[in-house]
Amino acid sequence: MLAVVKEHKGPGFAIKDVPMPVCGEEDVIVKVKSVGFCGSDGPILAGTRDVPWPLIPGHEFAGDIVETGAKVKGWQIGDRVSACIVIGCGNCKYCIEGNEPLCDNLVETGIHVNGAFAEYVRVPAKVLVKLKDSTSYDFGAAIDPIASAYRTVKSMPITSKDTVMVLGPGPIGLYATQLLKLRGARKVIVLGADCDKERLEMALKLGADYVINNSVEDPIERIKEITNGDMLDYVHDCAGAVPLVEIAMNTLKKTGHYYITGLFHELAPVNLGKVVRSEIDIHGTICYTREEFRECLDLIEDGRLQVEPLITHHYALRDMQEAFEMFQSRQAIKIMLHPEE
């Protein structure tokens, strides 16, 4: 089969023929129809994030089951499915409590084991969800980034009087914007930079009340204007960018909440004195549970979230180099790749 393979440490990847995955007793083989390019895939392909190589990345996908393992029940060849990235061991304290993203033996598709930048992918049957016939494969491949935002938003005790700022108008930030409005937030503000102009415009179309271009506006002064000096009840950090931490801390009101979805790849300075004196709550979330993944599919299939506007570019899998360059240039919001093309 054709696959994108990270073969060694450092820059570069190969687009090549590799052996088909072998189906285990509790696994299925899925023929990949759509696979999204995630922000975490870029560093893997660029060689700035270490993974166990050789590795086929890719974890936002949907397709058709073409083979089932001997012990698999409830799934049939031809079922249209997506699968969550999180594969918990099922035996540790966190899995037993239903908190598998914190599993002591966590395995993630496309990061620890081969993923879906390929014509076929093997996954455990336990992580599958079934798509309605009316749900496109592109929409099925969008569940993962939605669920990453959803887990964070779901944990926020938001009320109808609260003002929230989303840091980073990438796909997760744009889904968070919609989810925050669904939760009933009074005002949602999205912060980006000059390189995010099209994404900030998209944020307004998806329900944001205000956007702030950090390249040309002072975000602290702008927040004072929007809130009449009351400042923010919540910041939802979908960027994981060190320079934005200070903005978050300086725009939150006393007793404000700083919720973090974005992964930080370097240490960020935090004024813990202010955290204490202003009673700031800092809360992080990672990935999502299988139940949360299922709930996000319901949001899509019920039409409560807009997915299609975020999908701006489509490529054949064999054109991954071009897709990678498009991702690096930040000209795309969400890229979908299609192994069959």
Side-chain angles (χ1 to χ4, degrees):
M1 67 174 183
L2 186 69
V4 174
V5 185
K6 184 67 183 176
E7 294 184 301
H8 53 74
K9 191 173 183 178
F13 55 88
I15 304 168
K16 59 189 289 187
D17 285 326
V18 301
M20 285 276 294
V22 176
C23 191
E25 290 185 332
E26 298 179 346
D27 300 332
V28 300
I29 303 296
V30 177
K31 182 176 178 62
V32 180
K33 297 287 189 173
S34 295
V35 54
F37 197 117
C38 177
S40 63
D41 293 321
I44 291 174
L45 296 181
T48 56
R49 177 176 179 175
D50 286 336
V51 291
W53 44 268
L55 176 79
I56 300 171
H59 58 270
E60 302 177 1
F61 72 94
D64 297 333
I65 294 177
V66 295
E67 185 179 351
T68 61
K71 294 183 178 180
V72 171
K73 296 180 180 179
W75 296 101
Q76 305 295 326
I77 291 173
D79 283 347
R80 304 171 76 253
V81 297
S82 182
C84 71
I85 185 176
V86 177
I87 304 172
C89 69
N91 299 314
C92 72
K93 172 181 182 291
Y94 299 102
C95 284
I96 292 169
E97 292 174 349
N99 202 4
E100 57 264 30
L102 298 180
C103 172
D104 287 333
N105 307 293
L106 179 66
V107 173
E108 294 176 301
T109 301
I111 294 176
H112 303 113
V113 295
N114 283 337
F117 284 161
E119 291 183 275
Y120 298 89
V121 61
R122 177 183 65 199
V123 292
K126 67 180 182 180
V127 301
L128 295 175
V129 295
K130 189 171 183 179
L131 308 180
K132 292 180 179 178
D133 290 343
S134 58
T135 301
S136 74
Y137 295 111
D138 284 353
F139 282 24
I143 305 170
D144 173 88
I146 294 170
S148 294
Y150 178 77
R151 179 169 173 81
T152 310
V153 173
K154 183 181 177 181
S155 67
M156 296 180 182
I158 291 172
T159 71
S160 59
K161 67 179 182 180
D162 290 329
T163 298
V164 187
M165 179 166 67
V166 175
L167 302 181
I172 291 177
L174 293 173
Y175 284 126
T177 299
Q178 297 183 67
L179 291 165
L180 288 163
K181 295 300 286 189
L182 283 174
R183 283 293 305 275
R186 181 184 181 190
K187 296 178 183 176
V188 175
I189 304 159
V190 179
L191 182 141
D194 261 348
C195 58
D196 299 313
K197 284 183 178 179
E198 291 184 8
R199 298 179 180 202
L200 290 174
E201 291 173 4
M202 180 65 69
L204 290 170
K205 293 176 182 177
L206 295 173
D209 298 284
Y210 302 91
V211 296
I212 298 173
N213 183 338
N214 188 38
S215 298
V216 297
E217 299 179 271
D218 182 332
I220 298 172
E221 292 303 315
R222 185 72 179 109
I223 293 298
K224 287 180 181 177
E225 292 175 9
I226 294 170
T227 64
N228 295 316
D230 290 338
M231 309 309 281
L232 299 169
D233 299 284
Y234 291 86
V235 169
H236 184 179
D237 190 338
C238 298
V242 169
L244 298 183
V245 174
E246 186 175 359
I247 292 173
M249 296 300 294
N250 287 330
T251 53
L252 282 167
K253 71 177 188 180
K254 293 177 182 178
T255 71
H257 306 269
Y258 184 18
Y259 277 67
I260 305 170
T261 302
L263 286 173
F264 283 82
H265 297 290
E266 53 184 315
L267 292 176
V270 178
N271 183 348
L272 294 180
K274 182 171 184 176
V275 171
V276 173
R277 283 187 284 270
S278 296
E279 296 191 358
I280 301 295
D281 174 41
I282 300 177
H283 184 93
T285 60
I286 184 70
C287 289
Y288 45 76
T289 65
R290 277 182 261 166
E291 179 58 29
E292 288 161 347
F293 194 81
R294 172 77 252 178
E295 290 168 3
C296 289
L297 175 57
D298 291 341
L299 289 173
I300 294 172
E301 294 188 330
D302 292 346
R304 287 179 280 169
L305 279 181
Q306 294 189 62
V307 174
E308 193 164 4
L310 278 70
I311 303 172
T312 56
H313 293 76
H314 295 265
Y315 291 94
L317 185 67
R318 62 178 178 273
D319 296 326
M320 174 60 89
Q321 182 62 46
E322 186 177 347
F324 174 67
E325 291 170 2
M326 179 61 70
F327 168 82
Q328 294 288 72
S329 71
R330 295 181 65 86
Q331 295 179 58
I333 297 178
K334 173 56 70 175
I335 295 169
M336 286 289 175
L337 297 119
H338 306 283
E340 282 189 324
E341 295 181 359

